[in-house]
Amino acid sequence: MSIPIVRTVAELRSIVSAWRREGLKVAVVPTMGALHEGHLSLVRSALERVDRVIVTLFINPRQFNNEADLAAYPRTEHEDAAKLAPLGAHMLYAPDASEMYPEGFATTVSVSGVSDGLCGAYRPGHFDGVATVVAKLFLQTGADLAFFGEKDFQQLHVVRRLTRDLDIPIEIVACPTVREADGLAMSSRNLRLSSVQRQAAPSLAEILFALAERLATGATADDVLIEARQAILAAGYKEVEYLELRADDDLAPLDAADRSARILVAAWLGDIRLVDNVCVRPKQSTSKRFASPAAA
Ligand code: AMP
């Protein structure tokens, strides 16, 4: 069992055109590879909704604001293809950088508002890189639906905004964060954690879920966020970049969870930056609000 790997826009377009002539519905699942259950859950969701699923694998240099992070990013195309084939995904689109950004490339898609603050404040240019490559992937594939993880919650908002603003005819589907059994949000970056770091890592999610309980029952952000920050540091994290309460629907900063909200965090464990978020629904229990691999 294998999955066709496509490297060029021309070949991609010719295959998608043939699918269109047959009247088939197409979805795209953009990834940077090093696929784990989180990615595979997006692919499974896509397969339930459409006839043909394109998984893209492109480690987008424009969204890395740190050379070392780009160099260290895991590259496992062979293993990724082997994970996708048995699921029944129909194509792995893995262009190289010169196909995506040929000589003379000079356009940037930049989304204001939802890109500001949070990761946008700490990774200058990151969301420009994301928005540019996502717009290109949407236009190259011409897909009807695109699947993204809530794991990268600000990115999801950026993608929704650019899709609306540029009138790209594609439906954005958000999928819940898949976690390890101990609560750690799955991430390709987890591969780089040492065994000691891996043991400390889940405390981040644990603290977020406890925080969500307190905010759901009426605590104000001022009262609980500082304490939670200290708990993250005490658990072994080196630095907390941000820990904030934002509105679920538009990322507006909130003082209390008086409407559906998100706690978003980015923190460094050694030299690995981990991001996570959990939702806060006022006056409701927040436990078991994550998808486990078994449930995915
Ligand atoms: P990445 O390869 O990290 O760029 O992620 C590709 C897609 O997979 C994005 O839409 C991510 O939000 C999504 N994703 C990454 N990790 C997870 C996870 N643990 N659960 C659900 N979706 C995820």
Side-chain angles (χ1 to χ4, degrees), residues 30-33 36 38-39 41-42 73 147-149 151-152 155 176-178 185-186 188:
T31 83
M32 296 205 300
H36 50 64
H39 299 111
S41 75
L42 305 186
Y73 205 85
F147 288 73
F148 287 86
K151 158 78 171 35
D152 300 287
Q155 168 174 284
T177 300
V178 178
M186 290 192 181
S188 307

Side-chain angles (χ1 to χ4, degrees), residues 43-289:
V43 177
R44 286 192 197 98
S45 299
L47 284 163
E48 283 171 13
R49 294 276 308 269
V50 301
D51 307 298
R52 293 290 180 270
V53 173
I54 302 169
V55 178
T56 73
L57 193 181
F58 181 61
I59 301 173
N60 176 29
R62 287 178 176 248
Q63 73 187 68
F64 285 82
N65 53 318
N66 175 328
E67 284 293 327
D69 192 25
L70 174 60
Y73 205 85
R75 287 163 170 80
T76 59
E77 181 183 303
H78 189 71
E79 291 85 340
D80 293 341
K83 286 177 187 168
L84 290 171
L87 294 188
H90 301 88
M91 182 202 296
L92 180 60
Y93 174 51
D96 65 25
S98 63
E99 182 73 7
M100 286 304 257
Y101 303 118
E103 187 78 20
F105 187 91
T107 300
T108 299
V109 179
S110 189
V111 178
S112 58
V114 288
S115 294
D116 302 337
L118 304 170
C119 286
Y122 289 90
R123 304 187 67 189
H126 169 68
F127 285 121
D128 285 0
V130 169
T132 304
V133 83
V134 167
K136 282 176 68 75
L137 290 170
F138 287 178
L139 296 169
Q140 290 174 350
T141 59
D144 304 290
L145 281 80
F147 288 73
F148 287 86
E150 287 187 349
K151 158 78 171 35
D152 300 287
F153 198 69
Q154 189 177 15
Q155 168 174 284
L156 180 61
H157 276 272
V158 169
V159 169
R160 285 209 162 113
R161 187 76 259 167
L162 85 87
T163 305
R164 267 185 241 137
D165 290 356
L166 298 181
D167 304 306
I168 303 178
I170 193 164
E171 180 190 340
I172 307 302
V173 182
C175 300
T177 300
V178 178
R179 298 177 180 276
E180 302 287 356
D182 58 15
L184 176 66
M186 290 192 181
S187 164
S188 307
R189 290 193 167 85
N190 295 352
L191 292 174
R192 292 173 50 210
L193 296 170
S194 70
S195 60
V196 173
Q197 288 170 334
R198 178 63 190 80
Q199 276 196 312
S203 53
L204 186 64
E206 219 172 278
I207 292 164
L208 290 192
F209 279 104
L211 191 53
E213 289 287 355
R214 293 182 70 187
L215 288 162
T217 49
T220 59
D222 272 356
D223 289 340
V224 291
L225 288 180
I226 294 175
E227 210 179 292
R229 228 172 218 276
Q230 281 158 357
I232 295 167
L233 296 173
Y237 279 78
K238 186 173 79 177
E239 187 193 333
V240 179
E241 270 184 2
Y242 63 79
L243 175 66
E244 293 191 31
L245 182 68
R246 298 284 186 114
D248 224 16
D249 55 357
D250 62 3
L251 290 185
L254 296 180
D255 294 327
D258 41 22
R259 53 177 165 140
S260 192
R262 282 275 150 178
I263 308 163
L264 300 106
V265 69
W268 289 84
L269 192 50
D271 64 350
I272 298 152
R273 182 177 181 275
L274 297 179
V275 296
D276 200 351
N277 67 84
V278 300
C279 66
V280 186
R281 291 209 181 85
K283 308 274 186 282
Q284 280 178 16
S285 166
T286 53
S287 58
K288 300 213 187 298
R289 203 172 275 164

